[in-house]
């Protein structure tokens, strides 16, 4: 401590004050813009080395995964920011998605599902209803380009019209591109062929409900199967006679009763018997009658999930009922082999959209809406039956299925 009254000590005091001031100044200046570290006097630089934090390793994407788009948004300039870092929508704070530091593999779940489904295979059960002579079996063979109808499977020994409506199912396993599908075609010989056709739809309705009952019993078992056999009817093709006038009363009553339990798709059979003008007028009249009687056919308006589905299904509904021609015979047309019906005026090409609407029906039934048909059957028709069945009498009671003739060929 310096004393002001003593001259010899003045110089010493001034030097001591400068030293103290320098000490405090250096002690509080820890980090400058150039990130150099300053230490108080007397402390060695080797005592407190600067901390070096290594950057986390970012795993690379596998070669089969496409690189992100250059225009894709990246994370902020902090953690995980920079090129090649994906952001996951819906995670993290409300301002944006969580930032991934590298490839995880979430996108492979689609491939995993595809492999499991390929191993398990698919089931598709289609029912064909209409009176004799409308080409039901031929159209089904044409749809799947194979002999899948009951007549093609050895049922056609006798062509006698049965006295009552019968239910005959035949199953095949068809394969295309490594995908296997068990196809079951349910035919209804005798429908509409009697003098008195009153309540002739009852055996068909009973069969459909029996399949729901089978599935329900398997579901409520304590030790149920890993994969429940699905014999439920996913689709019913109803064949309308090409009269050119209007629907018959039988057509109206059948579709009114059955549209509540199954997906009905109305088609006009043998449409090559009408001129284009007659066909368009008949289609318009049928749509009007279906609307007048409140008959719902697939795809139903209330089952459209979003605007994309609605726009697609609206186009389909405008084209229904499909005016179709079936044939499993090939003919040479302009140097190409085509499926068709040969007439005195030429060949009616089955898959030519200018000749008939078979291609529209095939694409709709198989290529775009097959899975949706199965989902609507399970989530709507089966669930309606299940809820009613479990509420009735508080339990399950067996239903006899001895009258149903099935054949697995």
């Amino acid at each position: 401590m310096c004393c002001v009254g003593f001259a010899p000590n003045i110089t010493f005091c001034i030097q001591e004050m400068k030293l103290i001031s320098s000490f405090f100044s250096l002690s509080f200046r820890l980090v400058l813009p150039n990130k150099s570290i300053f230490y108080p006097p007397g402390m060695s630089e080797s005592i407190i080395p600067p901390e070096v934090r290594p950057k986390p390793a970012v795993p690379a994407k596998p070669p089969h995964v496409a690189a992100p788009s250059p225009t894709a948004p990246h994370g902020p300039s902090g953690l995980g920011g920079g090129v090649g870092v994906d952001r996951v929508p819906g995670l993290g704070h409300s301002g944006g998605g969580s930032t991934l530091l590298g490839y995880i593999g979430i996108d492979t779940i689609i491939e995993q599902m595809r492999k499991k489904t390929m191993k398990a295979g698919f089931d598709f059960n289609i029912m064909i209803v209409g009176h004799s002579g409308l080409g039901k079996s031929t159209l089904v063979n044409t749809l799947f380009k194979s002999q899948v109808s009951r007549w093609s499977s050895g049922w056609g020994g006798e062509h006698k019209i049965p006295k009552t409506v019968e239910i005959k199912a035949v199953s095949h396993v068809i394969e295309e591109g490594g995908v296997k599908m068990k196809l079951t075609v349910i035919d209804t010989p005798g429908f509409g062929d009697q003098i008195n056709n009153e309540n002739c739809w009852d055996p068909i309705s009973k069969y459909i409900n029996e399949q729901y009952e089978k599935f329900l019993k398997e579901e409520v078992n304590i030790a149920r199967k890993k994969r429940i056999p699905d014999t439920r009817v996913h689709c019913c093709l109803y064949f309308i006679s090409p009269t050119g006038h209007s629907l018959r009363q039988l057509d109206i009553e059948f579709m009114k009763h059955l549209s509540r339990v199954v997906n009905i798709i109305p088609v006009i059979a043998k449409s090559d018997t009408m001129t284009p003008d007659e066909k368009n007028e008949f289609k318009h009249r049928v749509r009007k009658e279906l609307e007048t009687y409140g008959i719902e056919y697939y795809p139903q308006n209330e089952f459209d999930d979003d605007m994309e589905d609605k726009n697609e299904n609206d186009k389909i509904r405008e084209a229904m009922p499909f005016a179709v021609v079936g044939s499993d015979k090939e003919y040479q047309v302009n140097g190409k082999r085509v499926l068709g019906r040969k007439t005195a005026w030429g060949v009616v090409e089955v898959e030519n959209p200018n000749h008939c609407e078979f291609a529209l029906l095939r694409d709709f039934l198989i290529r775009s809406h097959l899975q949706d048909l199965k989902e609507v059957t399970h989530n709507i028709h089966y669930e309606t039956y299940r809820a009613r069945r479990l509420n009735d009498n508080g339990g399950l009671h067996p239903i006899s299925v001895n009258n149903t003739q099935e054949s697995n060929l």
Side-chain angles (χ1 to χ4, degrees), residues 122-126 140-141 144 146-155 169-175 179-186 407-409:
F122 300 87
D123 293 313
F124 187 61
N125 308 318
I126 182 171
V140 172
N141 290 342
F144 297 97
S146 56
Q147 302 297 315
V148 295
S149 69
R150 66 187 181 96
W151 298 114
S152 306
S153 305
W155 289 81
V170 56
S171 297
H172 301 268
V173 176
I174 57 179
E175 182 176 356
V179 179
K180 292 183 179 180
M181 183 175 73
K182 181 184 177 182
L183 173 68
T184 301
V185 180
I186 305 108
S407 175
N408 294 320
L409 301 179

Side-chain angles (χ1 to χ4, degrees), residues 1-290:
M1 187 72 181
C2 63
C3 296
V4 178
F6 296 94
N9 294 329
I10 291 175
T11 303
F12 175 76
C13 289
I14 292 172
Q15 293 177 352
E16 185 176 2
M17 292 175 66
K18 289 181 178 180
L19 180 62
I20 293 173
S21 176
S22 175
F23 174 81
F24 283 102
S25 176
L26 294 175
S27 297
F28 290 102
R29 292 170 58 203
L30 296 179
V31 180
L32 293 179
N34 61 3
K35 298 186 180 180
S36 299
I37 299 179
F38 292 83
Y39 301 90
M43 296 183 66
S44 172
E45 185 176 349
S46 61
I47 295 176
I48 307 177
E51 182 180 2
V52 179
R53 301 181 65 182
K55 295 182 179 179
V58 178
K61 286 188 178 183
H64 66 277
V65 179
S69 171
T71 58
H74 298 295
S77 57
L79 178 63
V83 178
V85 179
D86 300 324
R87 293 176 64 83
V88 181
L91 298 178
H93 56 81
S94 59
S98 287
T99 304
L100 302 180
L101 297 179
Y103 177 73
I104 297 177
I106 300 174
D107 54 352
T108 63
I109 190 171
I110 303 298
E111 180 64 18
Q112 297 173 39
M113 294 171 63
R114 189 190 70 84
K115 288 182 178 179
K116 288 184 69 70
T117 308
M118 290 277 285
K119 290 180 180 179
F122 300 87
D123 293 313
F124 187 61
N125 308 318
I126 182 171
M127 175 179 278
I128 50 177
V129 181
H131 68 76
S132 301
L134 291 181
K136 301 186 297 294
S137 299
T138 302
L139 183 69
V140 172
N141 290 342
T142 311
L143 275 172
F144 297 97
K145 293 191 175 181
S146 56
Q147 302 297 315
V148 295
S149 69
R150 66 187 181 96
W151 298 114
S152 306
S153 305
W155 289 81
E158 296 181 359
H159 292 269
K160 295 180 180 179
I161 297 177
K163 296 181 179 180
T164 58
V165 178
E166 299 177 357
I167 308 295
K168 295 185 177 180
V170 56
S171 297
H172 301 268
V173 176
I174 57 179
E175 182 176 356
E176 182 181 41
V179 179
K180 292 183 179 180
M181 183 175 73
K182 181 184 177 182
L183 173 68
T184 301
V185 180
I186 305 108
D187 200 356
T188 56
F191 176 83
D193 295 328
Q194 313 303 321
I195 297 176
N196 182 7
N197 291 306
E198 185 179 1
N199 297 330
C200 64
W201 53 82
D202 283 347
I204 299 173
S205 178
K206 181 182 177 182
Y207 175 86
I208 294 172
N209 287 325
E210 284 174 355
Q211 309 318 306
Y212 290 150
E213 182 72 13
K214 285 182 182 180
F215 198 88
L216 177 58
K217 286 183 177 180
E218 291 290 346
E219 267 196 338
V220 299
N221 283 340
I222 297 176
R224 59 185 181 183
K225 300 175 182 178
K226 184 178 180 181
R227 188 184 180 205
I228 301 175
D230 189 2
T231 60
R232 298 169 297 181
V233 180
H234 301 130
C235 169
C236 174
L237 285 182
Y238 186 76
F239 288 72
I240 300 171
S241 300
T243 62
H245 300 293
S246 61
L247 293 173
R248 299 180 302 169
Q249 190 62 32
L250 176 60
D251 301 330
I252 295 171
E253 291 299 325
F254 174 86
M255 288 189 277
K256 281 178 66 175
H257 285 83
L258 271 294
S259 62
R260 305 166 188 168
V261 295
V262 71
N263 297 315
I264 289 184
I265 299 177
V267 297
I268 300 173
K270 295 188 174 181
S271 64
D272 56 331
T273 60
M274 296 184 289
T275 67
D277 290 339
E278 291 173 342
K279 179 179 66 177
N280 293 331
E281 185 178 349
F282 186 49
K283 282 164 59 76
H284 177 74
R285 191 177 294 116
V286 169
R287 283 197 298 267
K288 199 70 176 176
E289 287 185 286
L290 293 174

Side-chain angles (χ1 to χ4, degrees), residues 191-398:
F191 176 83
D193 295 328
Q194 313 303 321
I195 297 176
N196 182 7
N197 291 306
E198 185 179 1
N199 297 330
C200 64
W201 53 82
D202 283 347
I204 299 173
S205 178
K206 181 182 177 182
Y207 175 86
I208 294 172
N209 287 325
E210 284 174 355
Q211 309 318 306
Y212 290 150
E213 182 72 13
K214 285 182 182 180
F215 198 88
L216 177 58
K217 286 183 177 180
E218 291 290 346
E219 267 196 338
V220 299
N221 283 340
I222 297 176
R224 59 185 181 183
K225 300 175 182 178
K226 184 178 180 181
R227 188 184 180 205
I228 301 175
D230 189 2
T231 60
R232 298 169 297 181
V233 180
H234 301 130
C235 169
C236 174
L237 285 182
Y238 186 76
F239 288 72
I240 300 171
S241 300
T243 62
H245 300 293
S246 61
L247 293 173
R248 299 180 302 169
Q249 190 62 32
L250 176 60
D251 301 330
I252 295 171
E253 291 299 325
F254 174 86
M255 288 189 277
K256 281 178 66 175
H257 285 83
L258 271 294
S259 62
R260 305 166 188 168
V261 295
V262 71
N263 297 315
I264 289 184
I265 299 177
V267 297
I268 300 173
K270 295 188 174 181
S271 64
D272 56 331
T273 60
M274 296 184 289
T275 67
D277 290 339
E278 291 173 342
K279 179 179 66 177
N280 293 331
E281 185 178 349
F282 186 49
K283 282 164 59 76
H284 177 74
R285 191 177 294 116
V286 169
R287 283 197 298 267
K288 199 70 176 176
E289 287 185 286
L290 293 174
E291 182 181 354
T292 300
Y293 290 101
I295 298 173
E296 294 186 352
Y297 52 90
Y298 181 86
Q300 296 88 338
N301 286 289
E302 60 267 29
F303 300 156
D304 295 338
D305 294 331
D306 49 40
M307 285 304 298
E308 183 181 357
D309 285 347
K310 184 179 185 306
N311 293 335
E312 182 181 359
N313 290 337
D314 281 345
K315 295 178 181 178
I316 294 171
R317 285 186 281 262
E318 290 174 2
M320 296 179 77
F322 298 109
V324 298
V325 176
S327 175
D328 50 9
K329 296 181 179 180
E330 289 187 341
Y331 296 95
Q332 192 85 10
V333 177
N334 297 328
K336 295 181 180 179
R337 302 289 295 178
V338 298
L339 291 171
R341 285 169 55 88
K342 190 173 183 180
T343 68
W345 301 273
V347 176
V348 180
E349 300 176 34
V350 169
E351 297 178 295
N352 188 336
N354 295 322
H355 292 188
C356 73
E357 296 170 341
F358 170 83
L360 291 177
L361 173 65
R362 179 201 58 205
D363 294 349
F364 160 66
L365 184 64
I366 301 174
R367 302 183 182 181
S368 64
H369 283 68
L370 188 148
Q371 182 60 30
D372 188 67
L373 282 163
K374 298 180 65 174
E375 291 177 2
V376 171
T377 298
H378 180 79
N379 298 329
I380 305 299
H381 299 303
Y382 169 69
E383 283 299 319
T384 301
Y385 176 87
R386 176 180 174 275
R388 185 180 70 251
R389 189 71 178 87
L390 294 179
N391 285 330
D392 289 347
N393 303 324
L396 297 175
H397 304 282

